[in-house]
Amino acid sequence: RGGSHSSEAKLSPREEEELDPRIQEELEHLNQASEEINQVELQLDEARTTYRRILQESARKLNTQGSHLGSCIEKARPYYEARRLAKEAQQETQKAALRYERAVSMHNAAREMVFVA
């Protein structure tokens, strides 16, 4: 044999036959996994492109609708803002009611313990 002794992973047919079959099997699994990763990355790129296109299209449609509706949006905005704030206030009220019920329950339990003691 002539040539240089490089650290390439090129094996002669005899050396390849000597490889443990498990290594060959794992290399095949690795190749399959790499192919699957490449396919999924392509799908991801396609999905991102589609998402950006849909986002741009939606923004354009919203701007068009906003132009057509004009001042109606500004007139209706306070109403919808008030509805949102009312909903938030209702949720906070429900949370406060639950905290109050727990506190009353704990207070009654403590009074009962003091009475027993």
Side-chain angles (χ1 to χ4, degrees), residues 5-91:
H5 288 73
S6 66
S7 60
E8 291 181 8
K10 195 88 168 164
L11 300 175
S12 70
R14 189 176 70 87
E15 290 172 325
E16 206 169 281
E17 290 173 11
E18 293 174 7
L19 274 180
D20 188 340
R22 294 174 293 183
I23 293 174
Q24 190 65 31
E25 188 177 313
E26 289 302 317
L27 287 173
E28 288 175 17
H29 288 295
L30 181 62
N31 285 337
Q32 286 177 339
S34 293
E35 288 177 20
E36 289 176 20
I37 289 170
N38 290 338
Q39 289 174 355
V40 170
E41 284 178 342
L42 287 174
Q43 290 173 354
L44 175 63
D45 288 342
E46 290 173 10
R48 283 181 174 159
T49 301
T50 302
Y51 170 76
R52 281 192 289 273
R53 182 181 47 77
I54 291 171
L55 187 63
Q56 290 172 346
E57 190 175 312
S58 298
R60 184 186 53 76
K61 286 180 181 179
L62 280 173
N63 288 336
T64 302
Q65 286 293 322
S67 298
H68 287 295
L69 295 173
S71 65
C72 297
I73 294 172
E74 291 305 316
K75 289 178 184 174
R77 190 181 307 269
Y79 168 76
Y80 287 100
E81 181 67 17
R83 278 186 57 179
R84 184 185 63 79
L85 291 173
K87 185 176 181 179
E88 288 177 10
Q90 181 183 18
Q91 290 172 345

Side-chain angles (χ1 to χ4, degrees), residues 96-107:
L98 285 174
R99 287 193 304 267
Y100 175 76
E101 288 177 15
R102 285 189 203 120
V104 167
S105 176
M106 290 173 60
H107 180 261

